[in-house]
Amino acid sequence: MSRRIRELEEELGTALFDRSTAGAKLTPVGEDFAAMAARILNDLQRLSNRRRAAVQGRRGNVSLGFYKSLSSGGFRTTLRRFRENHPDIGLDLREALSPN
């Protein structure tokens, strides 16, 4: 690990750690680098979680067409429950007049 950190420091052209016989401490540049790296890793984890949710059908969009005459009562309640239970799935509702 120490070798990889030194290689990174060489690539960046700056020290990330102040080293001494008592140990190592992050330099100000190292602290900034570590904070940015943590944000990147967090973003990658969130991206992976979002992808997994989409693959599992827990994220995405659903388009739903319905007749106006069916838009009350149980249908409305069902839509409300769906939105409460699946906040990461968007609903695109298309209301139409009955063909009769």
Side-chain angles (χ1 to χ4, degrees), residues 11-71:
E11 185 177 326
L12 295 172
T14 188
L16 299 175
F17 290 91
D18 284 326
R19 294 166 178 84
S20 71
T21 55
K25 179 182 170 190
L26 284 171
T27 64
V29 172
E31 289 177 5
D32 189 44
F33 186 88
M36 291 179 76
R39 284 193 298 271
I40 290 169
L41 292 174
N42 185 42
D43 286 347
L44 285 172
Q45 183 62 53
R46 286 183 24 218
L47 179 61
S48 178
N49 292 344
R50 288 171 64 107
R51 184 212 50 87
R52 188 177 308 108
V55 167
Q56 295 173 348
R58 295 182 290 115
R59 179 170 189 76
N61 293 302
V62 173
S63 293
L64 180 64
F66 60 95
Y67 293 127
K68 187 174 182 172
S69 61
L70 297 176
S71 65

Side-chain angles (χ1 to χ4, degrees), residues 86-99:
H86 306 284
D88 291 332
I89 297 179
L91 281 176
D92 179 23
L93 302 176
R94 305 287 171 117
E95 184 178 10
L97 299 174
S98 176

Side-chain angles (χ1 to χ4, degrees), residues 4-16 33:
R4 298 290 291 159
I5 292 171
R6 286 210 187 267
E7 289 173 1
L8 179 60
E9 289 175 325
E10 286 178 21
E11 185 177 326
L12 295 172
T14 188
L16 299 175
F33 186 88

